[in-house]
Amino acid sequence: MSPKAKPEGVWADQPFKLLDTPGKDKPLSNPVIYVASHMALVHNTFIRALNSIYLHAPLIATSNKILSRDLLSYCQCWVALVALHHQTEEKFLFSAFEERIPGAKGVLAVNVQQHEEFHDGLAAFEKYVDSALAGKESYDSERLLKLIDGFSEPLMTHFNDEISTLMRLEETGQGKDVMKVHEEFEVIVRKDIDGSKVGPMTLLNADKTYEGGKHPFPVMPKFVPYLIKYLVSRKYAGAWKFGSCDYWGQPVTLFMNTLEGKKALAVA
């Protein structure tokens, strides 16, 4: 899709910086470039969603029970998406690359180690979000942002470094096998997802216009966005107002910048 005008006001490309893909200026016909670019696009989905959380959180008062609960639900869905991704990487992707790609042994070890560097901070964030949603703690935007600050630096480092690591697989000359492992990884991820959390979270933060719209991410049948919008998204319906894109991958004005959002945020 061709680029659209940037949505009104501050958007979800900040404060955490989006990743350039290896395919930005290189052909996606190269299997390794395609796989590494796909991973960068996945990471950017996580980053846009986290940016949306970071931008909206301080604008929501503790007394605003409806919006604070919706944002906490959005946080919970974001954790579910990130956890699924990293668990599947550890269970399958990294080991499959190392075992089945000659010359890849040890290449991805640093990325597994990096998971540990943000694990505790992310767990603390999840624990607070779950506790607040259960009514055991009150919504506190300062605490929420502090918890994000506690894991964001190692998480962003990991997101960036993993792309460089995957590009090293090009040195093996086994592009076809790299693509095969990647395709199997995608099947496993789709099989293990909690669709009500992960499906909308993915679509509502996947910008199909990114880098000129050259990337086919996420790849799915045309009916799936309709299914997710009108059926799957119902369970956590209040959360999705914070997404940065629509269900078809087009960037939208963030809730905080809309007239509806400004009115809702003004509620004490």
Side-chain angles (χ1 to χ4, degrees):
M1 291 187 180
S2 59
K4 293 174 62 177
K6 186 175 179 180
E8 178 186 350
V10 174
W11 195 61
D13 51 3
Q14 56 182 294
F16 304 112
K17 188 177 183 299
L18 297 173
L19 281 59
D20 291 337
T21 72
K24 181 178 181 180
D25 302 310
K26 297 179 181 179
L28 291 171
S29 57
N30 179 310
V32 175
I33 292 175
Y34 178 91
V35 170
S37 295
H38 184 277
M39 187 65 76
L41 295 170
V42 171
H43 290 176
N44 279 346
T45 299
F46 304 159
I47 294 170
R48 289 188 195 97
L50 186 61
N51 280 340
S52 182
I53 293 168
Y54 208 92
L55 291 169
H56 283 97
L59 302 178
I60 300 175
T62 301
S63 58
N64 195 328
K65 302 300 183 184
I66 294 176
L67 278 193
S68 60
R69 185 168 185 82
D70 287 346
L71 184 67
L72 288 167
S73 294
Y74 188 77
C75 292
Q76 190 178 65
C77 294
W78 180 81
V79 170
L81 177 61
V82 174
L84 169 68
H85 178 73
H86 289 141
Q87 288 166 7
T88 312
E89 281 184 333
E90 291 186 4
K91 288 180 180 178
F92 174 76
L93 186 66
F94 293 158
S95 59
F97 277 141
E98 295 205 348
E99 292 169 6
R100 292 163 53 181
I101 309 297
K105 190 69 176 178
V107 170
L108 295 157
V110 63
N111 300 125
V112 176
Q113 180 183 344
Q114 286 178 332
H115 284 184
E116 295 301 315
E117 294 174 2
F118 58 78
H119 176 274
D120 289 351
L122 190 58
F125 176 75
E126 180 180 20
K127 182 179 179 180
Y128 168 68
V129 167
D130 290 348
S131 181
L133 280 171
K136 297 177 181 178
E137 298 194 58
S138 61
Y139 173 78
D140 181 340
S141 62
E142 289 188 14
R143 183 174 178 187
L144 196 70
L145 295 184
K146 187 174 182 180
L147 286 165
I148 293 174
D149 290 341
F151 66 77
S152 58
E153 184 174 350
L155 182 65
M156 295 304 148
T157 296
H158 170 70
F159 284 163
N160 279 274
D161 289 355
E162 191 168 277
I163 309 309
S164 299
T165 301
L166 288 172
M167 283 301 297
R168 288 183 58 192
L169 295 176
E170 196 168 23
E171 300 169 10
T172 69
Q174 305 294 319
K176 290 184 179 180
D177 289 336
V178 170
M179 180 63 81
K180 186 174 182 180
V181 169
H182 166 75
E183 290 170 347
E184 292 176 19
F185 171 67
E186 286 292 289
V187 171
I188 291 171
V189 169
R190 287 194 292 270
K191 182 180 68 175
D192 291 343
I193 66 171
D194 176 349
S196 60
K197 290 182 177 179
V198 170
M201 180 60 73
T202 299
L203 290 191
L204 293 174
N205 290 289
D207 177 6
K208 282 186 174 289
T209 72
Y210 192 62
E211 293 183 343
K214 69 177 294 186
H215 302 289
F217 175 82
V219 178
M220 58 181 60
K222 290 184 178 180
F223 72 88
V224 173
Y226 293 92
L227 179 66
I228 292 176
K229 178 177 181 178
Y230 294 110
L231 182 62
V232 177
S233 65
R234 291 178 181 176
K235 186 173 182 179
Y236 299 98
W240 309 128
K241 64 173 67 71
F242 300 110
S244 60
C245 301
D246 64 20
Y247 286 89
W248 293 269
Q250 299 300 294
V252 296
T253 299
L254 290 185
F255 182 68
M256 60 188 277
N257 295 321
T258 65
L259 180 59
E260 177 189 2
K262 291 174 182 177
K263 288 180 178 179
L265 290 165
V267 176

PDB file of all heavy atoms in Angstrom, residues 244-264:
ATOM      1  N   SER A 244      -2.757   1.693  17.084  1.00  0.00           N
ATOM      2  CA  SER A 244      -2.180   2.739  16.237  1.00  0.00           C
ATOM      3  C   SER A 244      -2.585   2.624  14.772  1.00  0.00           C
ATOM      4  O   SER A 244      -2.288   3.511  13.969  1.00  0.00           O
ATOM      5  CB  SER A 244      -0.655   2.707  16.341  1.00  0.00           C
ATOM      6  OG  SER A 244      -0.145   1.452  15.909  1.00  0.00           O
ATOM      7  N   CYS A 245      -3.244   1.523  14.414  1.00  0.00           N
ATOM      8  CA  CYS A 245      -3.668   1.299  13.033  1.00  0.00           C
ATOM      9  C   CYS A 245      -5.089   0.738  13.035  1.00  0.00           C
ATOM     10  O   CYS A 245      -5.609   0.351  14.086  1.00  0.00           O
ATOM     11  CB  CYS A 245      -2.744   0.288  12.334  1.00  0.00           C
ATOM     12  SG  CYS A 245      -0.998   0.795  12.271  1.00  0.00           S
ATOM     13  N   ASP A 246      -5.702   0.684  11.867  1.00  0.00           N
ATOM     14  CA  ASP A 246      -6.992   0.008  11.783  1.00  0.00           C
ATOM     15  C   ASP A 246      -6.743  -1.467  11.464  1.00  0.00           C
ATOM     16  O   ASP A 246      -5.603  -1.919  11.375  1.00  0.00           O
ATOM     17  CB  ASP A 246      -7.919   0.688  10.763  1.00  0.00           C
ATOM     18  CG  ASP A 246      -7.406   0.623   9.326  1.00  0.00           C
ATOM     19  OD1 ASP A 246      -6.543  -0.243   9.019  1.00  0.00           O
ATOM     20  OD2 ASP A 246      -7.860   1.429   8.498  1.00  0.00           O
ATOM     21  N   TYR A 247      -7.813  -2.228  11.297  1.00  0.00           N
ATOM     22  CA  TYR A 247      -7.666  -3.676  11.099  1.00  0.00           C
ATOM     23  C   TYR A 247      -7.072  -4.029   9.744  1.00  0.00           C
ATOM     24  O   TYR A 247      -6.723  -5.182   9.501  1.00  0.00           O
ATOM     25  CB  TYR A 247      -9.020  -4.363  11.277  1.00  0.00           C
ATOM     26  CG  TYR A 247      -9.462  -4.435  12.720  1.00  0.00           C
ATOM     27  CD1 TYR A 247     -10.214  -3.403  13.294  1.00  0.00           C
ATOM     28  CD2 TYR A 247      -9.128  -5.517  13.519  1.00  0.00           C
ATOM     29  CE1 TYR A 247     -10.616  -3.455  14.618  1.00  0.00           C
ATOM     30  CE2 TYR A 247      -9.512  -5.579  14.849  1.00  0.00           C
ATOM     31  CZ  TYR A 247     -10.260  -4.539  15.395  1.00  0.00           C
ATOM     32  OH  TYR A 247     -10.640  -4.595  16.726  1.00  0.00           O
ATOM     33  N   TRP A 248      -6.937  -3.062   8.862  1.00  0.00           N
ATOM     34  CA  TRP A 248      -6.377  -3.282   7.534  1.00  0.00           C
ATOM     35  C   TRP A 248      -4.982  -2.668   7.394  1.00  0.00           C
ATOM     36  O   TRP A 248      -4.469  -2.508   6.298  1.00  0.00           O
ATOM     37  CB  TRP A 248      -7.336  -2.756   6.472  1.00  0.00           C
ATOM     38  CG  TRP A 248      -8.581  -3.593   6.470  1.00  0.00           C
ATOM     39  CD1 TRP A 248      -8.824  -4.710   5.709  1.00  0.00           C
ATOM     40  CD2 TRP A 248      -9.738  -3.413   7.293  1.00  0.00           C
ATOM     41  NE1 TRP A 248     -10.057  -5.228   6.027  1.00  0.00           N
ATOM     42  CE2 TRP A 248     -10.646  -4.458   6.988  1.00  0.00           C
ATOM     43  CE3 TRP A 248     -10.101  -2.474   8.262  1.00  0.00           C
ATOM     44  CZ2 TRP A 248     -11.881  -4.597   7.608  1.00  0.00           C
ATOM     45  CZ3 TRP A 248     -11.343  -2.606   8.890  1.00  0.00           C
ATOM     46  CH2 TRP A 248     -12.212  -3.648   8.567  1.00  0.00           C
ATOM     47  N   GLY A 249      -4.370  -2.334   8.524  1.00  0.00           N
ATOM     48  CA  GLY A 249      -2.986  -1.892   8.512  1.00  0.00           C
ATOM     49  C   GLY A 249      -2.757  -0.452   8.120  1.00  0.00           C
ATOM     50  O   GLY A 249      -1.637  -0.078   7.771  1.00  0.00           O
ATOM     51  N   GLN A 250      -3.794   0.368   8.212  1.00  0.00           N
ATOM     52  CA  GLN A 250      -3.636   1.785   7.892  1.00  0.00           C
ATOM     53  C   GLN A 250      -3.480   2.593   9.187  1.00  0.00           C
ATOM     54  O   GLN A 250      -4.298   2.462  10.100  1.00  0.00           O
ATOM     55  CB  GLN A 250      -4.839   2.294   7.108  1.00  0.00           C
ATOM     56  CG  GLN A 250      -5.041   1.579   5.786  1.00  0.00           C
ATOM     57  CD  GLN A 250      -3.856   1.738   4.858  1.00  0.00           C
ATOM     58  OE1 GLN A 250      -3.560   2.840   4.395  1.00  0.00           O
ATOM     59  NE2 GLN A 250      -3.175   0.649   4.558  1.00  0.00           N
ATOM     60  N   PRO A 251      -2.445   3.435   9.301  1.00  0.00           N
ATOM     61  CA  PRO A 251      -2.252   4.232  10.522  1.00  0.00           C
ATOM     62  C   PRO A 251      -3.460   5.117  10.799  1.00  0.00           C
ATOM     63  O   PRO A 251      -4.055   5.676   9.865  1.00  0.00           O
ATOM     64  CB  PRO A 251      -1.022   5.081  10.194  1.00  0.00           C
ATOM     65  CG  PRO A 251      -0.289   4.306   9.144  1.00  0.00           C
ATOM     66  CD  PRO A 251      -1.361   3.646   8.323  1.00  0.00           C
ATOM     67  N   VAL A 252      -3.821   5.207  12.073  1.00  0.00           N
ATOM     68  CA  VAL A 252      -4.957   6.044  12.468  1.00  0.00           C
ATOM     69  C   VAL A 252      -4.508   7.032  13.547  1.00  0.00           C
ATOM     70  O   VAL A 252      -3.498   6.830  14.216  1.00  0.00           O
ATOM     71  CB  VAL A 252      -6.126   5.200  13.013  1.00  0.00           C
ATOM     72  CG1 VAL A 252      -6.675   4.285  11.931  1.00  0.00           C
ATOM     73  CG2 VAL A 252      -5.708   4.389  14.232  1.00  0.00           C
ATOM     74  N   THR A 253      -5.266   8.095  13.693  1.00  0.00           N
ATOM     75  CA  THR A 253      -5.001   9.056  14.762  1.00  0.00           C
ATOM     76  C   THR A 253      -5.163   8.366  16.108  1.00  0.00           C
ATOM     77  O   THR A 253      -6.160   7.669  16.336  1.00  0.00           O
ATOM     78  CB  THR A 253      -5.982  10.241  14.666  1.00  0.00           C
ATOM     79  OG1 THR A 253      -5.787  10.895  13.411  1.00  0.00           O
ATOM     80  CG2 THR A 253      -5.747  11.236  15.801  1.00  0.00           C
ATOM     81  N   LEU A 254      -4.181   8.513  16.973  1.00  0.00           N
ATOM     82  CA  LEU A 254      -4.260   7.885  18.289  1.00  0.00           C
ATOM     83  C   LEU A 254      -5.468   8.417  19.059  1.00  0.00           C
ATOM     84  O   LEU A 254      -5.856   9.574  18.913  1.00  0.00           O
ATOM     85  CB  LEU A 254      -2.989   8.138  19.085  1.00  0.00           C
ATOM     86  CG  LEU A 254      -1.707   7.439  18.617  1.00  0.00           C
ATOM     87  CD1 LEU A 254      -0.582   7.713  19.595  1.00  0.00           C
ATOM     88  CD2 LEU A 254      -1.904   5.937  18.451  1.00  0.00           C
ATOM     89  N   PHE A 255      -6.021   7.568  19.886  1.00  0.00           N
ATOM     90  CA  PHE A 255      -7.210   7.902  20.671  1.00  0.00           C
ATOM     91  C   PHE A 255      -7.045   9.220  21.414  1.00  0.00           C
ATOM     92  O   PHE A 255      -7.955  10.048  21.461  1.00  0.00           O
ATOM     93  CB  PHE A 255      -7.496   6.772  21.660  1.00  0.00           C
ATOM     94  CG  PHE A 255      -8.715   6.979  22.500  1.00  0.00           C
ATOM     95  CD1 PHE A 255      -9.983   6.958  21.937  1.00  0.00           C
ATOM     96  CD2 PHE A 255      -8.606   7.190  23.871  1.00  0.00           C
ATOM     97  CE1 PHE A 255     -11.121   7.145  22.716  1.00  0.00           C
ATOM     98  CE2 PHE A 255      -9.735   7.379  24.657  1.00  0.00           C
ATOM     99  CZ  PHE A 255     -10.997   7.356  24.073  1.00  0.00           C
ATOM    100  N   MET A 256      -5.868   9.471  21.967  1.00  0.00           N
ATOM    101  CA  MET A 256      -5.607  10.679  22.741  1.00  0.00           C
ATOM    102  C   MET A 256      -5.754  11.950  21.915  1.00  0.00           C
ATOM    103  O   MET A 256      -5.988  13.028  22.456  1.00  0.00           O
ATOM    104  CB  MET A 256      -4.187  10.619  23.331  1.00  0.00           C
ATOM    105  CG  MET A 256      -3.096  10.520  22.278  1.00  0.00           C
ATOM    106  SD  MET A 256      -1.441  10.215  22.952  1.00  0.00           S
ATOM    107  CE  MET A 256      -0.984  11.876  23.389  1.00  0.00           C
ATOM    108  N   ASN A 257      -5.626  11.827  20.591  1.00  0.00           N
ATOM    109  CA  ASN A 257      -5.684  12.995  19.714  1.00  0.00           C
ATOM    110  C   ASN A 257      -7.038  13.185  19.050  1.00  0.00           C
ATOM    111  O   ASN A 257      -7.238  14.166  18.327  1.00  0.00           O
ATOM    112  CB  ASN A 257      -4.604  12.880  18.625  1.00  0.00           C
ATOM    113  CG  ASN A 257      -3.207  12.916  19.197  1.00  0.00           C
ATOM    114  OD1 ASN A 257      -2.942  13.662  20.131  1.00  0.00           O
ATOM    115  ND2 ASN A 257      -2.312  12.104  18.654  1.00  0.00           N
ATOM    116  N   THR A 258      -7.954  12.254  19.273  1.00  0.00           N
ATOM    117  CA  THR A 258      -9.287  12.379  18.682  1.00  0.00           C
ATOM    118  C   THR A 258     -10.188  13.183  19.606  1.00  0.00           C
ATOM    119  O   THR A 258      -9.927  13.285  20.820  1.00  0.00           O
ATOM    120  CB  THR A 258      -9.923  10.997  18.453  1.00  0.00           C
ATOM    121  OG1 THR A 258     -10.140  10.349  19.726  1.00  0.00           O
ATOM    122  CG2 THR A 258      -9.025  10.122  17.581  1.00  0.00           C
ATOM    123  N   LEU A 259     -11.255  13.723  19.062  1.00  0.00           N
ATOM    124  CA  LEU A 259     -12.206  14.470  19.884  1.00  0.00           C
ATOM    125  C   LEU A 259     -12.832  13.569  20.931  1.00  0.00           C
ATOM    126  O   LEU A 259     -12.958  13.949  22.098  1.00  0.00           O
ATOM    127  CB  LEU A 259     -13.305  15.074  18.995  1.00  0.00           C
ATOM    128  CG  LEU A 259     -14.386  15.896  19.703  1.00  0.00           C
ATOM    129  CD1 LEU A 259     -13.745  17.074  20.449  1.00  0.00           C
ATOM    130  CD2 LEU A 259     -15.424  16.393  18.701  1.00  0.00           C
ATOM    131  N   GLU A 260     -13.176  12.342  20.533  1.00  0.00           N
ATOM    132  CA  GLU A 260     -13.742  11.379  21.483  1.00  0.00           C
ATOM    133  C   GLU A 260     -12.745  11.087  22.611  1.00  0.00           C
ATOM    134  O   GLU A 260     -13.123  11.036  23.787  1.00  0.00           O
ATOM    135  CB  GLU A 260     -14.073  10.065  20.747  1.00  0.00           C
ATOM    136  CG  GLU A 260     -14.594   8.971  21.658  1.00  0.00           C
ATOM    137  CD  GLU A 260     -14.696   7.627  20.964  1.00  0.00           C
ATOM    138  OE1 GLU A 260     -14.318   7.528  19.766  1.00  0.00           O
ATOM    139  OE2 GLU A 260     -15.139   6.658  21.608  1.00  0.00           O
ATOM    140  N   GLY A 261     -11.490  10.918  22.234  1.00  0.00           N
ATOM    141  CA  GLY A 261     -10.468  10.628  23.231  1.00  0.00           C
ATOM    142  C   GLY A 261     -10.250  11.785  24.203  1.00  0.00           C
ATOM    143  O   GLY A 261     -10.122  11.567  25.409  1.00  0.00           O
ATOM    144  N   LYS A 262     -10.212  12.987  23.671  1.00  0.00           N
ATOM    145  CA  LYS A 262      -9.998  14.162  24.526  1.00  0.00           C
ATOM    146  C   LYS A 262     -11.137  14.317  25.549  1.00  0.00           C
ATOM    147  O   LYS A 262     -10.901  14.675  26.697  1.00  0.00           O
ATOM    148  CB  LYS A 262      -9.861  15.408  23.668  1.00  0.00           C
ATOM    149  CG  LYS A 262      -8.571  15.443  22.852  1.00  0.00           C
ATOM    150  CD  LYS A 262      -8.523  16.623  21.892  1.00  0.00           C
ATOM    151  CE  LYS A 262      -7.250  16.604  21.071  1.00  0.00           C
ATOM    152  NZ  LYS A 262      -7.205  17.711  20.070  1.00  0.00           N
ATOM    153  N   LYS A 263     -12.343  14.030  25.108  1.00  0.00           N
ATOM    154  CA  LYS A 263     -13.478  14.107  26.024  1.00  0.00           C
ATOM    155  C   LYS A 263     -13.390  13.022  27.077  1.00  0.00           C
ATOM    156  O   LYS A 263     -13.642  13.266  28.266  1.00  0.00           O
ATOM    157  CB  LYS A 263     -14.780  13.965  25.235  1.00  0.00           C
ATOM    158  CG  LYS A 263     -15.143  15.158  24.379  1.00  0.00           C
ATOM    159  CD  LYS A 263     -16.445  14.927  23.633  1.00  0.00           C
ATOM    160  CE  LYS A 263     -16.836  16.158  22.806  1.00  0.00           C
ATOM    161  NZ  LYS A 263     -18.096  15.930  22.053  1.00  0.00           N
ATOM    162  N   ALA A 264     -13.035  11.796  26.671  1.00  0.00           N
ATOM    163  CA  ALA A 264     -12.949  10.684  27.617  1.00  0.00           C
ATOM    164  C   ALA A 264     -11.822  10.885  28.613  1.00  0.00           C
ATOM    165  O   ALA A 264     -11.951  10.591  29.804  1.00  0.00           O
ATOM    166  CB  ALA A 264     -12.739   9.375  26.854  1.00  0.00           C
TER     167      ALA A 264
END
